[in-house]
Amino acid sequence: MHFHTTSRRRATMLGIALVTSGALLLTGCGRSGDSGGGDAGASTKVDDEPATGTLEIWTQGADGAELPQMFEEFTKDNPDVEINMTQIPEAEFASKMTAAITAGTVPDLIYAFTETQSSLISTGGFDAVPDGLVDPDDFFEVIWDNSVYDDVAYGVPWYAYADMVIYRTDLAEAAGAEAPTDWDSLRTFGEDLKASGVEWPLALYAAYDSYTARQLLTFAKQNGGGFISDDLSTWTINSPENVEALEYWAGLMADGLASPDGPAFLDTVSWSTTGKNAAIIDGGPWFVGWFDDANGEGWADEHLSLATMPVGPDGDAATTVGGGSWFVPSDSENKDAAWKFARFMSEPESQVKWFEIFKNMPAVKSAWEDPALAGDRLLQTVEAGLETGVTLPKVSTWSQVGTVIGEQMEKVVRGGVSAQDALDEAQAQAESIGTGN
Amino acid sequence: MHEGSRAEATTAWLFLAPFLAIFLLFTGIPAVLAIGASLTDISARDIRDPFNVNFTGFQGFIDIINNPGFQSAFLNTVMFVVICVPISMALGLALALMLNNGIRRLRNFFRAAAYVPVITNIVAAAVIWQYAFSITGPVNTTLADLGLGAPNWLGEPGWAITTVVMMGVWRTTGTCMILFLAGLQAVPEEIYEAAATDGAGAWRRLWSITLPLLRPTTLLVTVLQTVSFLNIFEEPYLLTKGGPLGSTKSIAVWVYEQFGFGNVSASMAGSVLLLVLVGIVAIVQFRILRPKH
């Protein structure tokens, strides 16, 4: 009996000692101040010699599957570099990257989409873009700025896109529906198609996460609203303009013009191909290539047309702009090769090549003048979009606040909550989360 | 202490040493660090510089206990435990009894069939479940063919919970069955023969012999299943991402989400609370269900 008591006491003491030492290890001293990120980059120089060594790249999303075609281009001039690519599901990317930064087991290079760049940069685990690596003026401002944090650029933009309305011309013709240009005509377009027998005329993002929130932001901007003040200090989620935008968006679902259950991102092509949807609202330009991949070359030309996003009641234009940029983790073991690959991907020829492969628009302005792009019908709508592009709130807590907004949007379409109540709740939660800056 | 028992103890420690080393390295130390982190305001941006954080004591725990998202995840988790544990155990026991007594010729086939979900890759299984239970998936097509309604399995809270429960039960029933089967096969045949001689029928034998003698196995299965469902993550995360309307978000999914948001301290506090909850439940179950000699 005595043995047990002693052993238990000893175990308890040991536990307390371990926890205390763990806590002390983690709390040696107070926060010394916010650190924007890794090295400032001023002293880092990347020369023009070919890259060497092994380059570990983590990819995410559908882009990753096609990327090896660009590796082949890169290794032509850099034969001594070996590229190892690891594909990570997009939904897991942020968690895996945070864990890798924690453990110091990072790859040499990653790309991040606009949605997650702020939160990744705020981990402090990435290096600044070395001076002279690229010229910021070469890129579309809206994309370059997205990875600038406290006046330091952390990402080299890779591509840019602006969403648009992609619609089935054959179905619209059969229904006698005109391409939508504003909120009213978008609704009429949906009603005409519904009347002609299309189950869900409009495809809206309805995953109820930060991507759904991004869609609301577009409608909010079209209505003169927005989620955050210009100086990024105050959330403005429940403004009257935003509430109105949410009422409009949710009304399309309430009236059966869009399904609250999809299409999920990867179902988009099949839903529109089979005529379950007639128009993808907020559709990225890459979808056009996907339709051809799924249905055969030329299908998109025969069945699809493109229009810029509808404008709001007062004629305000806004579309979602996104893209991907390259980032080099501070613990990368081959930063030299990593930056050289990032630089290579931002060269106009590489940008054009990537457009041909994936239909993602170049982030470098001069690449748009290339003959390969000049006759492409996608460009007219995307170009208009890049001029009216909506940037996401550039704060480190955006992923979390965006998810909160997405969850509240779901309550409006599924839970019978009013748009005002939902956005009031989102505003309250966002205020408690803060901006992280 | 006798010389012999000391030698035995040394041998035991030697055999235990590799396990203890691995346990300490991959479970013990991370758990201690997690507890340490949960007592601070550490966030993703501090994680590379652990000296750059503040000690906040139990404030992180108070914050998450007051967090509506965590409260909802807690209630959902309790719901999964309360629904899934009895169902999977009852099904597992029924299957074990069937295999032990009835269909002896096809025992291996049924044992394998019931165990396949346990060894099937959960991600692959979830993809199939997601497809099968989508609005226009094969389940609804079949129901429609039979003239029945087509529920929105993954889009309505009640049905989403049902789907997650079904998958959870599907995946763990095989484990219950194998454990119960092992327990049943340890019951001496003579006891049944004696009872049969005394005129006890099948139900009487089940009630008065099988179930009491299965008590240690039942305890083990109950604890394992409860711990398993307290930690439920894959089914809700892969099937519904915790939705719709957060109805299937478990504590583990909440913890994972917070880590993804960079809220390391809240994530750690959530996981420590889950650890404490698992410990308390396991201890209580051992106390209640421990065989009385």
Side-chain angles (χ1 to χ4, degrees):
Chain A
M1 206 60 185
H2 177 70
F3 175 79
H4 283 120
T5 312
T6 312
S7 130
R8 192 172 296 166
R9 189 180 300 154
R10 199 180 293 158
T12 310
M13 292 305 288
L14 180 69
I16 291 170
L18 280 169
V19 171
T20 311
S21 55
L24 284 175
L25 178 73
L26 289 160
T27 59
C29 57
R31 195 182 302 277
S32 59
D34 290 340
S35 51
D39 304 335
S43 57
T44 316
K45 284 283 173 207
V46 179
D47 59 33
D48 292 329
E49 297 297 313
T52 56
T54 305
L55 182 58
E56 296 283 344
I57 300 182
W58 281 8
T59 70
Q60 54 174 326
D63 318 57
E66 306 295 337
L67 204 53
Q69 297 180 54
M70 296 305 296
F71 298 161
E72 286 173 23
E73 297 293 317
F74 182 65
T75 47
K76 281 178 192 165
D77 293 329
N78 299 270
D80 294 330
V81 74
E82 186 190 337
I83 301 179
N84 293 333
M85 183 184 95
T86 305
Q87 277 188 287
I88 293 172
E90 193 179 332
E92 323 301 327
F93 196 85
S95 298
K96 284 212 187 296
M97 200 59 221
T98 309
I101 291 169
T102 314
T105 54
V106 292
D108 299 309
L109 182 66
I110 66 159
Y111 59 81
F113 301 125
T114 43
E115 289 77 10
T116 52
Q117 285 177 12
S118 292
S119 55
L120 278 173
I121 292 168
S122 73
T123 61
F126 294 91
D127 271 10
V129 178
D131 284 350
L133 184 82
V134 291
D135 182 353
D137 293 338
D138 288 347
F139 300 88
F140 283 107
E141 197 180 345
V142 68
I143 296 301
W144 178 266
D145 273 354
N146 204 66
S147 52
V148 174
Y149 197 89
D150 288 346
D151 294 329
V152 178
Y154 291 92
V156 178
W158 171 22
Y159 64 82
Y161 67 79
D163 283 347
M164 58 186 84
V165 178
I166 302 173
Y167 67 98
R168 286 276 301 267
T169 40
D170 51 342
L171 298 178
E173 207 171 295
E178 295 287 327
T181 53
D182 56 22
W183 281 16
D184 285 342
S185 62
L186 177 63
R187 175 169 269 281
T188 313
F189 176 81
E191 286 166 352
D192 289 347
L193 280 150
K194 186 88 180 175
S196 77
V198 175
E199 189 179 5
W200 306 109
L202 312 175
L204 300 169
Y205 284 141
Y208 308 108
D209 51 20
S210 57
Y211 283 88
T212 346
R214 191 183 75 161
Q215 189 170 60
L216 175 61
L217 180 60
T218 307
F219 283 104
K221 289 274 188 183
Q222 289 166 359
N223 200 36
F227 287 163
I228 198 163
S229 60
D230 290 343
D231 64 355
L232 303 178
S233 65
T234 317
W235 292 109
T236 57
I237 296 165
N238 60 347
S239 72
E241 295 84 1
N242 296 352
V243 171
E244 212 171 82
L246 179 52
E247 281 167 351
Y248 174 77
W249 180 87
L252 297 173
M253 293 197 188
D255 295 342
L257 304 180
S259 166
D261 295 304
F265 185 61
L266 291 175
D267 299 326
T268 310
V269 169
S270 69
W271 280 40
S272 286
T273 300
T274 56
K276 196 178 169 76
N277 285 145
I280 306 166
I281 310 303
D282 215 31
W286 59 81
F287 275 127
V288 174
W290 288 12
F291 277 105
D292 276 352
D293 286 348
N295 304 305
E297 198 65 38
W299 191 94
D301 268 339
E302 274 178 41
H303 295 86
L304 299 177
S305 195
L306 313 163
T308 48
M309 284 290 282
V311 298
D314 295 330
D316 289 350
T319 186
T320 309
V321 175
S325 299
W326 297 96
F327 293 85
V328 175
S330 300
D331 284 342
S332 156
E333 289 175 0
N334 195 353
K335 291 181 188 179
D336 185 68
W339 285 122
K340 282 174 177 168
F341 184 78
R343 181 172 62 191
F344 161 78
M345 292 298 282
S346 71
E347 287 166 3
E349 303 79 50
S350 307
Q351 296 263 296
V352 171
K353 179 83 182 164
W354 183 247
F355 170 77
E356 287 169 344
I357 292 172
F358 203 73
K359 294 287 180 221
N360 266 333
M361 307 293 147
V364 173
K365 287 181 279 188
S366 65
W368 287 60
E369 290 153 20
D370 189 282
L373 280 78
D376 196 286
R377 62 186 180 134
L378 285 171
L379 298 184
Q380 295 151 10
T381 45
V382 175
E383 205 165 9
L386 282 172
E387 282 164 14
T388 57
V390 169
T391 47
L392 295 166
K394 223 172 59 181
V395 294
S396 61
T397 54
W398 165 248
S399 302
Q400 193 174 355
V401 171
T403 305
V404 165
I405 295 170
E407 286 169 356
Q408 292 302 320
M409 288 168 73
E410 185 178 26
K411 288 188 178 170
V412 177
V413 295
R414 289 192 203 278
V417 173
S418 74
Q420 181 72 58
D421 288 351
L423 291 187
D424 283 349
E425 174 61 28
Q427 174 74 18
Q429 287 192 43
E431 280 173 9
S432 77
I433 292 165
T435 60
N437 288 353
Chain B
M1 195 178 269
H2 297 295
E3 198 61 38
S5 64
R6 184 167 296 168
E8 276 175 20
T10 310
T11 311
W13 280 113
L14 273 175
F15 277 107
L16 278 172
F19 163 76
L20 288 175
I22 291 168
F23 177 79
L24 199 66
L25 195 61
F26 293 107
T27 307
I29 293 173
V32 170
L33 288 175
I35 295 168
S38 70
L39 301 173
T40 71
D41 65 351
I42 192 166
S43 70
R45 65 191 306 179
D46 304 312
I47 212 152
R48 290 168 47 76
D49 183 10
F51 290 98
N52 191 26
V53 296
N54 296 308
F55 182 77
T56 53
F58 291 102
Q59 190 56 45
F61 290 90
I62 295 166
D63 288 346
I64 71 164
I65 288 170
N66 289 324
N67 180 315
F70 182 82
Q71 290 167 357
S72 157
F74 176 84
L75 291 175
N76 290 340
T77 308
V78 171
M79 175 191 64
F80 284 130
V81 170
V82 170
I83 300 174
C84 296
V85 173
I87 296 178
S88 58
M89 284 181 66
L91 283 175
L93 178 61
L95 281 168
L97 285 168
M98 197 174 79
L99 291 175
N100 199 45
N101 301 319
I103 39 173
R104 284 174 188 259
R105 281 174 57 196
L106 291 171
R107 179 185 293 181
N108 284 343
F109 169 76
F110 281 105
R111 187 158 47 187
Y115 202 67
V116 161
V118 180
I119 53 170
T120 303
N121 179 294
I122 180 68
V123 179
V127 169
I128 294 167
W129 273 72
Q130 207 167 31
Y131 166 67
F133 286 88
S134 63
I135 287 188
T136 50
V139 171
N140 275 356
T141 315
T142 312
L143 288 175
D145 289 345
L146 295 171
L148 300 168
N152 188 355
W153 294 98
L154 303 170
E156 276 177 32
W159 287 114
I161 292 164
T162 309
T163 316
V164 170
V165 164
M166 284 195 296
M167 188 175 173
V169 169
W170 170 82
R171 201 159 77 91
T172 55
T173 295
T175 307
C176 300
M177 177 201 73
I178 290 287
L179 292 169
F180 277 125
L181 196 57
L184 285 173
Q185 287 171 355
V187 178
E189 199 63 34
E190 304 86 66
I191 300 179
Y192 288 118
E193 286 164 9
T197 312
D198 291 343
W203 283 111
R204 183 74 190 165
R205 289 202 296 273
L206 175 69
W207 192 250
S208 301
I209 300 173
T210 309
L211 292 181
L213 288 175
L214 273 182
R215 203 177 164 96
T217 312
T218 311
L219 166 65
L220 177 73
V221 178
T222 310
V223 173
L224 288 179
Q225 285 295 93
T226 307
V227 169
S228 164
F229 280 106
L230 278 173
N231 286 310
I232 189 167
F233 175 82
E234 293 94 336
E235 289 88 351
Y237 186 74
L238 294 171
L239 274 182
T240 58
K241 282 272 189 294
L245 298 171
S247 59
T248 59
K249 193 175 285 178
S250 65
I251 297 178
V253 173
W254 187 89
V255 163
Y256 181 76
E257 262 184 11
Q258 294 301 312
F259 190 78
F261 291 145
N263 295 336
V264 180
S265 157
S267 174
M268 294 299 131
S271 57
V272 169
L273 274 184
L274 185 58
L275 182 72
V276 170
L277 188 65
V278 166
I280 291 171
V281 169
I283 289 169
V284 168
Q285 288 182 334
F286 270 113
R287 293 259 154 132
I288 293 173
L289 294 167
R290 188 166 47 191
K292 295 172 178 61
H293 296 291

